[in-house]
Amino acid sequence: AISACEKSAQWAFALHLLSEIPFARLLPDLIGYNSMISACEKSGEFELALGLLSMMPRVDIAPDFISCSASISACEKAGRWQQALALLSEMEQSELSPNVITCSAVISACEKASRWHWALRVFRSMPGRKLMPDKICCSAVISACEKGHQWAHAAHLLKKMRMRSYNNNLVAGNALIAAFEKVERWQHATRLLLGLEELGLQPDLVSCNSCSSACEKAGRWEAALLFLQGPCSRLGRLGLSQDLVACNVILRAYMRALLWQASTALLSDMWRRGPLPAVISISPVLEACEQSMQERQTVELLDSLQRLVLS
């Protein structure tokens, strides 16, 4: 019955059944605890999963690979990187060998918490455990490095992925482009975007937005517009529509070029047809108008900004 609850993620009822076992003069077994922990993991109840895991030795049941792996997965879903790392260490101390999926879950937990150095440490320890990282594992550690602005590590990891024929992974490529964007390495970002196409991968909206943002942050507003604006842009040739992120990049590019008329026109179009502007959308338009001495437009924008903040 507990196993059936686990498969349907009914953790509350499974926990009730587990508590009724002593009254029925039955002994909880390893399968029962594992099913309960798995039910908690699927339902996002990481604290209950860890509580059950710690309870097992008290009733003379040694946690096995399934117990620990399900608990690590529960921690990963909750972004509890410290607990996930501790459980990985406990597995090894108990001579339970983690597999690629287990290590990937720990790396993902570290990635969600922006702990790139720990994600990289677990990744680098895998060959010593005689484990070969897969695409999911590599993508997670590249994403962790991207969040930590560690573009050099991310680039090295992507190169390793290519050597292992993990070419068809746009997620990893986008993570590296985002890493380049954060440190304003616009040339690296644009080269990587072209490299994705050479590998047979079609860049998506995330790829174009990150690449154009890298160009804009580096003061290359013309290049940023070539990626996003018009039917002949990279975005247009891919048949993709601008989202709020793309519009905000264009508005910042207009600000750098002091194209106040183009920026007010785009903002007006966003109000009419979408995507609806945010507060950060109005700020670059306001600055472009101020620097261009457009007093009337500046007053109107300040009024729009006030209404948006109060809405």
Side-chain angles (χ1 to χ4, degrees), residues 18-311:
L18 190 66
S19 66
E20 291 294 318
I21 286 177
F23 298 104
R25 296 182 180 179
L26 298 172
L27 293 174
D29 60 4
L30 179 62
I31 295 175
Y33 272 101
N34 284 350
S35 296
M36 186 62 239
I37 292 172
S38 294
C40 293
E41 176 262 323
K42 290 176 181 177
S43 303
E45 300 290 334
F46 86 96
E47 290 179 328
L48 281 174
L50 294 182
L52 287 164
L53 185 70
S54 64
M55 189 188 299
M56 292 173 71
R58 300 175 200 164
V59 292
D60 296 324
I61 297 176
D64 65 357
F65 173 82
I66 296 174
S67 320
C68 296
S69 294
S71 299
I72 287 175
S73 182
C75 292
E76 179 265 323
K77 289 180 178 178
R80 301 289 176 164
W81 64 279
Q82 290 171 309
Q83 288 94 330
L85 283 169
L87 286 172
L88 183 65
S89 178
E90 288 176 14
M91 281 186 74
E92 294 178 321
Q93 291 173 12
S94 302
E95 298 182 354
L96 297 172
S97 300
N99 62 10
V100 173
I101 296 174
T102 309
C103 290
S104 293
V106 177
I107 291 171
S108 182
C110 294
E111 178 263 331
K112 288 178 180 176
S114 299
R115 302 287 175 170
W116 67 268
H117 50 291
W118 281 107
L120 198 57
R121 183 176 295 186
V122 174
F123 178 82
R124 287 174 172 169
S125 71
M126 291 178 71
R129 297 184 171 105
K130 297 180 180 180
L131 298 174
M132 177 66 72
D134 60 6
K135 285 193 295 185
I136 296 173
C137 189
C138 292
S139 297
V141 75
I142 287 174
S143 180
C145 290
E146 174 263 316
K147 289 183 178 179
H149 299 196
Q150 300 298 314
W151 67 267
H153 286 306
H156 178 68
L157 289 166
L158 187 64
K159 185 178 179 181
K160 277 190 171 183
M161 287 185 72
R162 289 176 178 173
M163 291 171 63
R164 293 172 182 165
S165 301
Y166 293 163
N167 290 335
N168 57 336
N169 195 326
L170 185 60
V171 174
N174 283 347
L176 183 51
I177 292 175
F180 287 141
E181 179 256 334
K182 284 181 170 65
V183 293
E184 301 178 15
R185 291 184 175 268
W186 67 277
Q187 291 172 313
H188 289 72
T190 52
R191 278 200 294 267
L192 179 55
L193 187 70
L194 294 173
L196 292 176
E197 293 177 333
E198 291 172 1
L199 292 172
L201 294 173
Q202 179 172 295
D204 59 7
L205 188 58
V206 175
S207 319
C208 295
N209 284 348
S210 295
C211 204
S212 60
S213 181
C215 294
E216 180 273 320
K217 287 181 178 179
R220 304 285 176 167
W221 62 268
E222 304 99 325
L225 295 178
L226 284 174
F227 274 102
L228 298 177
Q229 191 181 42
C232 295
S233 67
R234 178 78 59 177
L235 202 65
R237 292 201 301 272
L238 291 170
L240 300 172
S241 301
Q242 297 167 356
D243 62 355
L244 182 59
V245 175
C247 289
N248 287 343
V249 173
I250 294 172
L251 290 172
R252 292 198 303 269
Y254 284 156
M255 177 198 70
R256 288 185 179 275
L258 297 181
L259 298 173
W260 68 270
Q261 291 171 312
S263 63
T264 54
L266 175 57
L267 188 64
S268 177
D269 194 53
M270 290 170 69
W271 281 116
R272 287 198 310 271
R273 297 189 297 181
L276 288 176
V279 172
I280 59 172
S281 309
I282 298 177
S283 298
V285 185
L286 184 62
E287 188 169 341
C289 291
E290 284 180 336
Q291 292 183 18
S292 301
M293 306 297 182
Q294 300 298 319
E295 294 183 5
R296 182 175 64 83
Q297 283 79 6
T298 301
V299 172
E300 290 176 355
L301 285 167
L302 285 171
D303 184 55
S304 298
L305 185 61
Q306 185 178 22
R307 289 200 307 272
L308 187 60
V309 170
L310 294 175
S311 64

